[in-house]
Amino acid sequence: MGYKVVVAGATGNVGREMLNILAEREFPVDEIAALASRRSLGTEVSFGDKTLKTQDLATFDFSGWDIALFAIGSDATKEFAPKAAAAGCVVIDNSSLYRYDPDVPLVVPEVNADAVLGYSKKNIIANPNCSTAQMVVALKPLHDRAKIKRVVVSTYQSVSGSGKEGMDELWDQTKSVYNPTDEVPPKKYPKQIAFNVIPHIDVFMEDGSTKEEWKMVAETKKIIDPSIKLTATCVRVPVFVGHAEAINIETEDFLDEDEARDILREAPGIMVVDKREDGGYITPVECVGDFATFISRIRQDSTIDNGLNFWCVSDNLRKGAALNAVQIAEALGQKVLKKG
């Protein structure tokens, strides 16, 4: 006996990827419903070798459904997640709405899978921010061995992190550079994204950081350890899919780069590609479509006693969003619902 699964926001980048990953990982689905807003009603989406017609999120009855994967943004989630949860359907939400709610577990299954057990307070589980998800997969095994005191991270985040509008803007602006009569001014972003980098993701906060940077701090503390100090600079780059991060950690105990490499090789969800030669590392283009979080450029930081640097790359539509949500559903099934 399998699960009755709902994917809300099925016509968006993340929703489509959720359907793909449910099929790829052979999640035990008895019945599946693809939901969208009224303007996308009837749009066809793929689920394995099946084609689904989207149904209206606004009128959908969640009674009798087991799990709902939400990829619809915070405003719509605020309206519909409580309805689904009240109907007995466990919501796995990809928006930022519930991430910082103490009654809602924030889960990356390779890091804190047991946290799904706390779902019952609101019948909701939160998916972390894409930039946080890949980073904590790498931090957790190193933290378990040497206790991380401080993290300094600079991100190189692809435009798919801001949805189809961001991808379209990069595409249109790139073409316009070669055709000067076809000017494409910034709309989604505050400055030109083609052939440029923008040190600004989400809104600015009073202390000068952006909300994206604040999210990485708050989520890492909630998922791994509240004592970890973290500072982030989040940058949008002209890459379609795949986030990259340059990460520096300071640990309480000394951790040799070779031991760190071995620990990461054995850790779940991680692929180490770290050769000290031309091309001996992974870039965003190479990670697209892959489930793994790739780690490269592991090396000692000689400026402090217990420091390491490394490079972290992952498909943000997968591990940063859709894959993590499906993995949460898998953990929920194994630990709580026990079907399939």
Side-chain angles (χ1 to χ4, degrees), residues 14-275:
V14 174
R16 288 177 188 271
E17 201 64 28
M18 285 172 170
L19 289 165
N20 289 338
I21 292 169
L22 285 166
E24 281 177 34
R25 291 173 74 90
E26 298 181 345
F27 188 81
V29 172
D30 264 3
E31 192 176 343
I32 190 156
L35 308 185
S37 62
R38 245 168 227 154
R39 59 191 164 83
S40 300
L41 207 57
T43 302
E44 292 188 340
V45 292
S46 297
F47 173 63
D49 56 3
K50 296 178 184 172
T51 299
L52 308 175
K53 274 197 173 178
T54 55
Q55 302 176 53
D56 187 358
L57 171 63
T59 58
F60 188 78
D61 182 2
F62 288 91
S63 303
W65 293 81
D66 298 303
I67 299 169
L69 306 179
F70 270 47
I72 55 175
S74 293
D75 290 343
T77 297
K78 191 172 185 178
E79 180 180 355
F80 296 108
K83 291 180 181 177
C89 181
V90 182
V91 174
I92 299 170
D93 177 34
N94 194 58
S95 81
S96 61
L97 183 64
Y98 292 104
R99 289 176 189 157
Y100 317 106
D101 185 328
D103 291 334
V104 174
L106 181 65
V107 179
V108 176
E110 296 93 337
V111 177
N112 64 338
D114 284 345
V116 299
L117 299 173
Y119 82 98
S120 58
K121 288 182 181 176
K122 289 194 173 176
N123 237 19
I124 296 170
I125 301 171
N127 212 20
N129 191 42
C130 48
S131 53
T132 305
Q134 68 187 70
M135 179 179 68
V136 296
V137 169
L139 294 183
K140 181 61 163 63
L142 301 176
H143 183 66
D144 287 346
R145 160 63 182 83
K147 193 153 197 233
I148 295 171
K149 292 163 55 178
R150 181 170 183 258
V151 180
V152 181
V153 56
S154 297
T155 71
Y156 307 76
Q157 294 178 228
S158 66
V159 293
S160 56
S162 37
K164 184 177 182 298
E165 292 173 337
M167 298 178 80
D168 288 346
E169 190 155 310
L170 173 57
W171 175 247
D172 292 339
Q173 282 184 354
T174 301
K175 289 188 293 182
S176 76
V177 168
Y178 296 99
N179 182 8
T181 61
D182 182 24
E183 189 178 342
V184 180
K187 280 191 197 168
K188 182 67 180 174
Y189 300 115
K191 291 180 183 274
Q192 175 182 312
I193 185 60
F195 301 95
N196 199 15
V197 297
I198 304 172
H200 172 196
I201 300 177
D202 213 324
V203 297
F204 275 97
M205 305 183 75
E206 283 187 13
D207 67 353
S209 62
T210 63
K211 196 166 183 186
E212 185 83 358
E213 293 155 358
W214 175 83
K215 287 174 189 173
M216 293 190 77
V217 176
E219 292 173 17
T220 300
K221 287 176 177 288
K222 184 171 179 178
I223 294 167
I224 298 182
D225 186 337
S227 70
I228 292 177
K229 295 179 178 178
L230 186 145
T231 182
T233 301
C234 293
V235 182
R236 190 71 71 192
V237 298
V239 170
F240 284 105
V241 179
H243 287 357
E245 299 171 348
I247 301 172
N248 173 274
I249 63 169
E250 181 181 1
T251 55
E252 282 193 5
D253 301 323
F254 178 74
L255 181 58
D256 175 78
E257 63 187 39
D258 292 326
E259 185 184 356
R261 196 174 288 109
D262 290 340
I263 288 168
L264 291 168
R265 278 202 178 103
E266 296 299 317
I270 288 176
M271 183 79 68
V272 174
V273 178
D274 189 19
K275 297 178 183 177

